[in-house]
Amino acid sequence: MDAFTRVQVVWAETRDLRVPAGGDPATLSTLRQNVAAIANEAEKSFSRFEPVPARDDPFFGSDVLDCVAAAEVSQSAGLKNLRVILWPSADGKTLSKDDLEPPAPWNTAAPETLELIGRFTVEGHEVSAFSRVVGGGEDAPRFVSLVTGTGLPPGTGVYAPRETPRTRVDPKVGRTAFRLAMAAVALFAVACLWSLSVGNLTRTAQATFTVNSADQSCPTSIDPGNPATLYGAPRAWLPTATGDGECLKAWKAATSTVLEAPDRDWWSRMKGWLASWTLSDSGRAFSLRMPMLLMMASIVVLAASVGLGVMGRPFGLFIDRRNRMSLTRIQFAVWLVILMGGIATYALFNVGFWAEDLNRIHEGLAFVANAGSSDQKLAAWSDRLSSLMEYLPGMDLALWALIGISGGTAIVSSFIMQPGTSGTKAGAGTVMPPRKTRVLSNPDPKDAQLSDLVYGETEEDDGVVDSTRVQAVVVTGVLAAIYINLALEAAERIGGLTSAQAVNSGTQVFASMPPAGATFLWLLGLSHGTLLGGKLIGAYKGTGT
């Protein structure tokens, strides 16, 4: 066996071992030298070959250098003809037989023939390394480890199980996932076209309304003498005691004219047909409710197709490395669906609303650039015209913080739920302290259940409902329901006042997403903080197993 392969073997067999507090670090080096010597003499004893980190790795660099040094001294005379075992030992002199009896010839070896190399910890367990001379006629594996399973029968439960690749998805399930993905693309395309059509028809109706209402006073600006116009429509746009006012009548006539216009090409007829499905309030306003819901549905279907294609389950996207449903992944996905569905719908409406005026907007920007330096009134329009080129709605600070909190919680949670590996860089302390409780995991992705979202994640809390997780589910559900309804209601009743005001002021109809607000953000932040706090307590409250 070449030296590099020996290094890979030594690294694979000893990477999870840690010298306990107060122990001698030289014992781990000695064990690595013994492993390298056996690999050099009986390479068939090993089946684990793992990639070795770089020598300057900030976490594992010193361990790598130690493995390299061990491989170089493996041919020492004092290390020949030995066999080694990693096994629990209560007294440091004999091998424990309580949970699992060691294999032959270790099960019959006399204590005086065993030489203790050192004691180590791994994943909350304590193991001891012993060596002894190979006896005559012994053909058992030269190296046995209850840490990795080397030298033991397949299926033996070990302390640091080797990661196994995901089971391949059944071809029939894969084909179903592909069909779902194509359905998601189709839904997305229809939602895009629908949103674009509503924007385009709204702008066309506004142009027709401008012509029809030329002899009427239909104000769109705020009236300083009427504070109600700060948050409501001017009186001219409100219904009267005898029916619709003149402005509403003119707008309804404009929408009817646009939707029933003859001599249109097939593309215009299709956009008109799609927009007609969203007309509400007896012809007074268009709506983006259905296009937005369809947009969100397309993202959900795409996520289901990915989960089905990769894990064989519709919720497979939310199954983590422990083969459990991840609450933090679902939380992040919920906000991703809501925000991306809303942003995409609003943006495509803006595109449809201003698309026909794009060339005119460019001409206006060029004119302002030339004449604006001498005319201050024109200079003020430069920013307005530039904003018309920004079709994506903006988001307030609370929404950006929402994305950061949800994504950050998912990332931090993945670190907390790791076993916790001490840093090994020379002079460095522990990067993340070892857990005192073992994390629950399932042997197969099929074992993941929705109940994982509320049950505890450690052996001590197995089958126990975790209140920190329950509150996270409740708070996320309530806040998501509030915001999705806010986004849908903001997309309702796009009527004459809204469109005329956008054109008269030179702004986007949907310049920004509905703001979340400080209370919304505080509730979300405290909920996620409580969830992470519960994970930390669960990781370090116990005494180990």
Side-chain angles (χ1 to χ4, degrees):
M1 179 181 293
D2 60 86
F4 181 73
T5 305
R6 284 200 301 273
V7 174
Q8 288 183 309
V9 169
V10 175
W11 169 254
E13 297 295 344
T14 64
R15 57 171 293 178
D16 299 299
L17 299 176
R18 294 291 175 266
V19 178
D24 184 3
T27 58
L28 183 55
S29 299
T30 301
L31 172 62
R32 285 169 171 159
Q33 293 172 14
N34 278 264
V35 174
I38 296 175
N40 189 56
E41 292 181 352
E43 59 181 274
K44 293 183 178 180
S45 299
F46 301 93
S47 58
R48 292 170 60 91
F49 302 88
E50 296 186 7
V52 181
R55 297 190 180 196
D56 57 352
D57 186 276
F59 300 141
F60 304 111
S62 58
D63 278 338
V64 172
L65 292 175
D66 196 38
C67 292
V68 172
E72 293 176 350
V73 300
S74 62
Q75 301 183 28
S76 172
L79 297 177
K80 291 184 178 297
N81 202 35
L82 292 177
R83 62 172 67 251
V84 173
I85 188 171
L86 275 168
W87 206 264
S89 175
D91 54 10
K93 298 179 181 179
T94 58
L95 301 177
S96 174
K97 300 181 181 180
D98 295 338
D99 298 329
L100 183 67
E101 183 173 349
W106 296 99
N107 58 344
T108 58
E112 61 270 14
T113 64
L114 305 181
E115 181 177 348
L116 178 66
I117 298 175
R119 308 191 77 165
F120 310 98
T121 61
V122 54
E123 299 286 340
H125 298 273
E126 291 186 358
V127 293
S128 297
F130 294 95
S131 65
R132 65 184 290 270
V133 177
V134 176
E138 295 179 353
D139 58 354
R142 294 275 298 275
F143 181 78
V144 176
S145 174
L146 193 57
V147 174
T148 62
T150 299
L152 294 173
T156 303
V158 296
Y159 296 157
R162 192 176 190 176
E163 292 186 6
T164 56
R166 297 287 188 185
T167 304
R168 293 191 63 182
V169 175
D170 184 87
K172 293 182 179 179
V173 177
R175 288 192 291 270
T176 302
F178 178 76
R179 296 188 189 100
L180 271 182
M182 294 300 98
V185 172
L187 289 176
F188 179 76
V190 173
C192 289
L193 179 59
W194 204 344
S195 303
L196 193 74
S197 301
V198 175
N200 186 255
L201 266 292
T202 303
R203 180 67 176 94
T204 306
Q206 190 278 329
T208 305
F209 166 78
T210 301
V211 175
N212 294 344
S213 62
D215 298 331
Q216 302 163 8
S217 177
C218 295
T220 60
S221 59
I222 294 173
D223 182 4
N226 184 5
T229 60
L230 291 170
Y231 54 85
R235 182 177 296 275
W237 287 91
L238 298 176
T240 66
T242 57
D244 293 334
E246 295 302 320
C247 293
L248 284 179
K249 289 181 180 179
W251 172 254
K252 290 175 66 174
T255 57
S256 298
T257 300
V258 169
L259 292 174
E260 297 170 5
D263 301 328
R264 294 183 298 175
D265 59 17
W266 68 272
W267 180 250
S268 297
R269 286 196 300 271
M270 182 172 62
K271 290 193 293 184
W273 178 76
L274 287 171
S276 66
W277 281 86
T278 69
L279 201 60
S280 62
D281 294 342
S282 301
R284 295 178 184 173
F286 291 98
S287 170
L288 284 176
R289 179 182 290 269
M290 290 305 297
M292 185 179 295
L293 289 174
L294 191 62
M295 185 73 72
M296 294 178 182
S298 70
I299 301 175
V300 172
V301 173
L302 180 62
S305 69
V306 172
L308 199 62
V310 175
M311 305 291 289
R313 299 185 60 180
F315 290 104
L317 195 61
F318 310 123
I319 300 176
D320 59 20
R321 295 177 61 185
R322 300 169 295 148
N323 292 326
R324 289 172 59 91
M325 287 288 178
S326 171
L327 176 58
T328 55
R329 290 189 183 188
I330 291 180
Q331 287 176 310
F332 186 73
V334 166
W335 293 117
L336 180 68
V337 169
I338 295 175
L339 291 179
M340 290 299 100
I343 287 175
T345 305
Y346 290 154
L348 286 163
F349 176 92
N350 290 337
V351 170
F353 191 85
W354 287 107
E356 294 184 359
D357 300 299
L358 185 60
N359 290 334
R360 187 66 174 175
I361 294 172
H362 281 295
E363 292 176 3
L365 281 170
F367 181 79
V368 170
N370 294 327
S373 58
S374 59
D375 190 334
Q376 293 303 314
K377 292 182 179 179
L378 286 178
W381 273 87
S382 179
D383 292 339
R384 292 191 182 185
L385 291 176
S386 297
S387 68
L388 293 181
M389 308 301 294
E390 293 288 341
Y391 297 106
L392 285 172
M395 295 197 301
D396 69 343
L397 183 61
L399 289 180
W400 287 112
L402 182 153
I403 296 174
I405 291 173
S406 300
T409 300
I411 295 173
V412 173
S413 175
S414 66
F415 280 104
I416 294 175
M417 300 315 294
Q418 291 294 327
T421 303
S422 300
T424 55
K425 184 178 180 180
T430 298
V431 174
M432 191 165 186
R435 298 180 59 91
K436 292 185 178 181
T437 55
R438 290 183 63 81
V439 177
L440 291 173
S441 60
N442 294 320
D444 192 272
K446 295 180 180 179
D447 298 323
Q449 303 291 333
L450 288 176
S451 58
D452 295 339
L453 302 181
V454 295
Y455 281 151
E457 300 177 280
T458 63
E459 287 184 346
E460 291 186 357
D461 297 325
D462 188 9
V464 178
V465 175
D466 187 340
S467 60
T468 64
R469 299 173 68 79
V470 173
Q471 67 81 25
V473 172
V474 172
V475 172
T476 299
V478 170
L479 294 182
I482 291 173
Y483 194 81
I484 192 173
N485 278 283
L486 183 61
L488 290 172
E489 286 302 312
E492 285 279 289
R493 302 176 184 86
I494 309 169
L497 176 60
T498 301
S499 56
Q501 185 177 17
V503 173
N504 293 340
S505 60
T507 58
Q508 297 287 6
V509 175
F510 295 101
S512 62
M513 294 287 290
T519 303
F520 186 101
L521 185 60
W522 274 107
L523 283 172
L524 183 76
L526 290 174
S527 174
H528 281 254
T530 302
L531 177 62
L532 291 178
K535 289 176 177 285
L536 283 171
I537 293 173
Y540 302 110
K541 69 180 179 181
T543 58
T545 54

